[in-house]
């Protein structure tokens, strides 16, 4: 079984976008196309947010592979922070933002999802993918937070390193390589 994780491309927005359903920009489409130019596999799974699913639909049709959208691979729900930038939040509520950056495991965004719940849903989806598509080559098109979480869990990095793994827009991460202590941003 082989898994590759693709972060959606640029949307033209910054800040906490979690559950917002932003479309890709032309640059975002280009980033994703470049990242998967040589990918061939058996199946595509994606977050149902349009910044992931629209590209997944076109790629699946072009490659003639099945596609499944799975809510469990959606980004962390940032609650009251949805649509806000860190700069805006540092003006409105600097203590809460600082607490989140320092310990996101114990300090979730106000009205948002805890990392414990996020872990449970993403890991449940991941385990099911492994069982359901054993022996297949799968591309998971998802979000930066999901990729960071899977990297953190699979590599067993310290909790404090969770937010530091680089996941640029349109980057492709090969899970098998994580087991070799490498990653391949596109």
């Amino acid at each position: 079984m082989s898994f590759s994780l693709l972060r959606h491309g640029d949307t033209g927005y910054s800040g906490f976008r979690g559950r917002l359903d932003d479309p890709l920009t032309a640059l975002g489409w280009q980033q994703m196309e470049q990242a998967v130019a040589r990918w061939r596999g058996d199946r595509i799974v994606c977050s149902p947010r349009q910044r992931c699913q629209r590209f997944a639909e076109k790629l699946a049709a072009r490659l003639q592979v099945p596609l499944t959208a799975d809510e469990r691979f959606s980004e962390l729900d940032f609650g009251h922070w949805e649509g806000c930038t860190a700069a805006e939040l540092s003006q409105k509520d600097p203590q809460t933002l600082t607490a989140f950056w320092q310990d996101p495991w114990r300090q979730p965004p106000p009205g948002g999802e805890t990392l414990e719940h996020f872990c449970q849903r993403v890991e449940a989806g991941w385990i099911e993918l492994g069982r359901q598509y054993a022996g297949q080559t799968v591309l998971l098109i998802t979000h930066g937070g999901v990729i960071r979480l899977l990297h953190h869990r699979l590599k067993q990095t310290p909790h404090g390193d969770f937010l530091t793994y680089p996941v640029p827009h349109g980057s492709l991460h090969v899970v098998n390589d994580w087991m070799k202590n490498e990653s391949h941003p596109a």
Side-chain angles (χ1 to χ4, degrees):
M1 176 171 53
S2 172
F3 278 98
S4 295
L5 310 176
L6 175 64
R7 183 181 181 194
H8 65 79
D10 179 71
T11 63
Y13 295 101
S14 60
F16 297 99
R17 308 304 300 174
R19 295 302 177 121
L20 298 176
D21 204 13
D22 304 322
L24 293 170
T25 62
L27 172 61
W29 281 92
Q30 180 183 11
Q31 290 168 327
M32 294 176 80
E33 286 289 352
Q34 288 174 345
V36 298
R38 287 179 272 180
W39 184 85
R40 296 296 175 266
D42 303 302
R43 169 170 299 279
I44 299 171
V45 178
C46 70
S47 159
R49 299 296 173 269
Q50 69 174 317
R51 58 192 181 266
C52 297
Q53 189 169 353
R54 295 263 166 84
F55 180 81
E57 290 167 347
K58 290 193 183 276
L59 182 63
R62 186 172 71 231
L63 299 177
Q64 298 181 335
V65 298
L67 169 65
T68 304
D70 190 329
E71 182 68 37
R72 293 175 294 186
F73 297 111
S74 293
E75 183 61 277
L76 179 73
D77 182 345
F78 289 102
H80 302 309
W81 290 357
E82 293 282 333
C84 297
T85 65
E88 291 168 340
L89 292 172
S90 64
Q91 294 295 315
K92 290 183 204 174
D93 190 4
Q95 291 88 358
T96 306
L97 181 62
T98 299
F100 173 75
W101 289 133
Q102 291 176 344
D103 190 0
W105 296 94
R106 291 192 197 140
Q107 302 295 325
E113 185 175 21
T114 66
L115 281 180
E116 182 177 339
H117 182 265
F118 182 57
C119 285
Q120 290 171 355
R121 76 170 161 84
V122 171
E123 287 176 359
W126 184 253
I127 290 167
E128 186 177 321
L129 283 183
R131 287 184 186 141
Q132 195 169 7
Y133 305 123
Q136 296 185 29
T137 300
V138 179
L139 176 65
L140 173 58
I141 302 175
T142 188
H143 306 273
V146 172
I147 295 170
R148 284 183 185 96
L149 173 66
L150 290 171
H151 178 265
H152 164 70
R153 295 303 239 198
L154 293 170
K155 299 269 298 178
Q156 299 178 353
T157 62
H159 273 348
D161 292 349
F162 169 69
L163 294 175
T164 63
Y165 180 66
V167 186
H169 286 118
S171 57
L172 185 67
H173 306 263
V174 180
V175 172
N176 300 345
D177 289 344
W178 288 349
M179 302 305 125
K180 298 175 191 171
N181 206 20
E182 300 174 2
S183 65
H184 291 281

